[in-house]
Amino acid sequence: MNVQPRQKPEPIYAHPNLYQVVNVQNSLRLQRIETSLRNEFAAGGAGELSPIDVWPQLWLVNEWDRDAAQRLIQEATATDVEEWFCGACGEQNGGAFELCWSCRHERSAP
């Protein structure tokens, strides 16, 4: 009988911004992948602890969801697009915006 050694559980996702972690958690929840949020209020420990140790973390409830969760997280976090300048008013906009925040002109194709 060939038994695989158990791997130490680790968080599926961590980020310094709680809102980013909750956004990923919501994306996973929509796909029926259950997670638990840890370190939600741990930021006050920074200084005594390493900053990365107090980042909010997502942990899988069911480890068998790991592969699907990793694919979804990669898709959800891969939307970081470079900033762009509006062709109508010249305003700089974040990559996530499809309309100019200033004049509401639609983003033109690169």
Short mmCIF file of all heavy atoms in Angstrom, two decimals, residues 15 17 27 45 74 100 102 109:
data_model
loop_
_atom_site.label_atom_id
_atom_site.label_comp_id
_atom_site.label_asym_id
_atom_site.label_seq_id
_atom_site.Cartn_x
_atom_site.Cartn_y
_atom_site.Cartn_z
N HIS A 15 -3.66 38.23 1.37
CA HIS A 15 -3.39 39.54 0.77
C HIS A 15 -3.44 40.57 1.88
O HIS A 15 -4.22 40.41 2.82
CB HIS A 15 -4.46 39.83 -0.30
CG HIS A 15 -4.14 40.98 -1.18
ND1 HIS A 15 -4.42 42.28 -0.84
CD2 HIS A 15 -3.56 41.02 -2.40
CE1 HIS A 15 -4.03 43.07 -1.82
NE2 HIS A 15 -3.50 42.33 -2.78
N ASN A 17 -4.78 43.43 1.86
CA ASN A 17 -6.04 44.17 1.83
C ASN A 17 -7.21 43.23 2.10
O ASN A 17 -7.51 42.33 1.31
CB ASN A 17 -6.20 44.84 0.46
CG ASN A 17 -7.40 45.74 0.38
OD1 ASN A 17 -8.42 45.50 1.01
ND2 ASN A 17 -7.29 46.78 -0.43
N SER A 27 -16.06 35.23 -4.68
CA SER A 27 -15.95 34.56 -5.97
C SER A 27 -15.96 33.04 -5.80
O SER A 27 -16.60 32.33 -6.57
CB SER A 27 -14.66 34.98 -6.69
OG SER A 27 -14.68 36.34 -7.00
N GLY A 45 -1.54 43.38 15.32
CA GLY A 45 -0.36 42.66 15.79
C GLY A 45 0.89 42.94 14.98
O GLY A 45 1.98 42.49 15.33
N GLN A 74 -6.81 32.46 -9.58
CA GLN A 74 -5.95 32.99 -10.63
C GLN A 74 -6.76 33.84 -11.60
O GLN A 74 -6.32 34.92 -12.00
CB GLN A 74 -5.26 31.84 -11.36
CG GLN A 74 -4.23 32.31 -12.36
CD GLN A 74 -3.46 31.16 -12.95
OE1 GLN A 74 -3.85 30.00 -12.86
NE2 GLN A 74 -2.35 31.47 -13.58
N CYS A 100 -14.55 56.01 -18.47
CA CYS A 100 -13.77 57.06 -17.81
C CYS A 100 -14.54 57.55 -16.59
O CYS A 100 -15.73 57.84 -16.67
CB CYS A 100 -13.53 58.20 -18.78
SG CYS A 100 -12.69 59.63 -18.04
N SER A 102 -14.25 60.29 -15.17
CA SER A 102 -14.48 61.73 -15.26
C SER A 102 -15.60 62.09 -16.24
O SER A 102 -16.52 62.82 -15.89
CB SER A 102 -13.19 62.43 -15.67
OG SER A 102 -13.37 63.82 -15.77
N ALA A 109 -10.24 50.42 -27.47
CA ALA A 109 -9.38 49.23 -27.56
C ALA A 109 -7.90 49.67 -27.66
O ALA A 109 -7.61 50.66 -28.34
CB ALA A 109 -9.76 48.40 -28.75
#
